[in-house]
Amino acid sequence: MKIGRETIPRTAISTSNADTIVVRGKDLSAELIGHTTFTDYFLMLLDGEPVSDVRRRVLDATLVAIAEHGLVPSVQASRMTYAAAPEALQGAVAAGLLGCGSVILGASQAAGELFAEIAGEIDGGKSLESAVHDVVSQRRARREAIPGYGHPLHKARDPRVEVLFGVAREAGAELRYVEIAEAVERAIPGIVGKELKLNVSAAIPAVLLGAGFPLKALRGVPLLARTAGLIAHLLEESEQPCGFALSYQAAQRVEYTGEVPPGFTQEGGQS
């Protein structure tokens, strides 16, 4: 059964024959291995465009900023999975990545889409302030969160924000989305009723979009970075296990709120 218009699978990323592996038009063995960095290679894989110093520096900075974040839920899931199945490193990494969504690591994509929507309103003739006010107000009216703003720990701006903005400025990236991100921060108190400061999930798309990074691939940057962090945690788990300790601590802290049979006590036995 035919679904969609295409009937022939096509890709412009890679091909090969018995002698040569071609990636984005280049000989992998002769031109890429030993001649390029992983960051450059990733950028080339994405769209085949020449890698500029601006794109490299900005992407590198964002990858470093988001790779490690301590024992967050996705990391705990990864370490507990590895503890239960140490033969399946890939399963433990996957467990950590599967826990990344709208709350953990997914906000960068959502914030990038917010900034792109505001940029579209500006391109349509609105001022920066009017575009920000209208888009943020519409989201507020729909009771939607403003992605990339507010942080449970960093009540002032996330310390990574200024550093990432600084890298973008020094690298010569376009600062249009940085200006939009900061305008959203200024507008939030008057619309939401409280201050919500920029966090790293808004800074990442602000600088990446200004460096020409594809909007649709934004979610991949935190995933790529966090994969490196997960592998580090899993190596540590193999040498200094805490997966089962995390599970034990969780079980100890659980408060059962359901019904129990007559005479049941939490300590066991009959009362």
Side-chain angles (χ1 to χ4, degrees):
M1 180 174 65
K2 180 177 178 293
I3 300 175
R5 294 187 299 173
E6 294 291 337
T7 57
I8 300 174
R10 295 180 171 86
T11 179
I13 297 176
S14 68
T15 189
S16 62
N17 60 24
D19 303 309
T20 307
I21 301 169
V22 178
V23 179
R24 289 292 189 190
K26 294 187 179 296
D27 185 320
L28 176 64
S29 299
E31 298 180 86
L32 297 174
I33 297 175
H35 298 282
T36 190
T37 67
F38 183 74
T39 302
D40 284 4
Y41 189 48
F42 172 56
L43 286 167
M44 189 189 78
L45 282 171
L46 275 178
D47 53 21
E49 293 295 322
V51 178
S52 67
D53 185 59
V54 174
R55 296 180 85 197
R56 177 189 305 111
R57 288 184 62 189
V58 171
L59 178 59
D60 261 338
T62 60
L63 290 170
V64 172
I66 201 67
E68 169 56 18
H69 207 57
L71 289 173
V72 293
S74 56
V75 173
Q76 292 186 41
S78 185
R79 293 187 73 141
M80 284 190 276
T81 300
Y82 185 84
E87 73 283 359
L89 179 73
Q90 73 281 5
V93 172
L97 294 180
L98 289 170
C100 301
S102 60
V103 176
I104 301 293
L105 294 185
S108 288
Q109 179 74 40
E113 291 167 356
L114 169 67
F115 300 157
E117 182 180 354
I118 292 169
E121 294 289 311
I122 294 169
D123 291 342
K126 290 184 180 179
S127 67
L128 171 62
E129 290 73 18
S130 294
V132 166
H133 182 273
D134 291 350
V135 172
V136 174
S137 295
Q138 289 164 11
R139 293 194 173 218
R140 182 64 174 170
R142 297 194 297 265
R143 299 183 180 276
E144 296 177 5
I146 311 301
Y149 294 84
H151 195 281
L153 177 62
H154 307 299
K155 299 306 179 184
R157 269 191 184 180
D158 185 321
R160 294 167 289 184
V161 171
E162 288 301 332
V163 178
L164 288 174
F165 287 178
V167 170
R169 292 187 185 97
E170 291 171 9
E174 182 185 355
L175 300 178
R176 181 188 197 193
Y177 296 96
V178 170
E179 293 169 357
I180 289 173
E182 292 186 315
V184 171
E185 184 183 66
R186 291 193 301 270
I188 283 176
I191 299 170
V192 177
K194 61 180 178 179
E195 285 194 343
L196 295 173
K197 296 295 186 180
L198 273 155
N199 65 42
V200 73
S201 293
I204 285 174
V207 298
L208 284 175
L209 292 174
F213 195 86
L215 174 63
K216 292 181 179 179
L218 280 174
R219 190 184 300 273
V221 172
L223 293 176
L224 178 63
R226 192 53 58 88
T227 297
L230 288 172
I231 293 170
H233 273 278
L234 295 176
L235 174 61
E236 184 180 69
E237 182 66 27
S238 72
E239 299 171 343
Q240 183 180 316
C242 75
F244 285 136
L246 290 167
S247 176
Y248 171 78
Q249 291 294 336
Q252 292 296 107
R253 305 287 290 192
V254 168
E255 293 185 5
Y256 178 74
T257 60
E259 296 181 357
V260 298
F264 174 89
T265 64
Q266 195 66 50
E267 292 73 24
Q270 296 291 314
S271 61

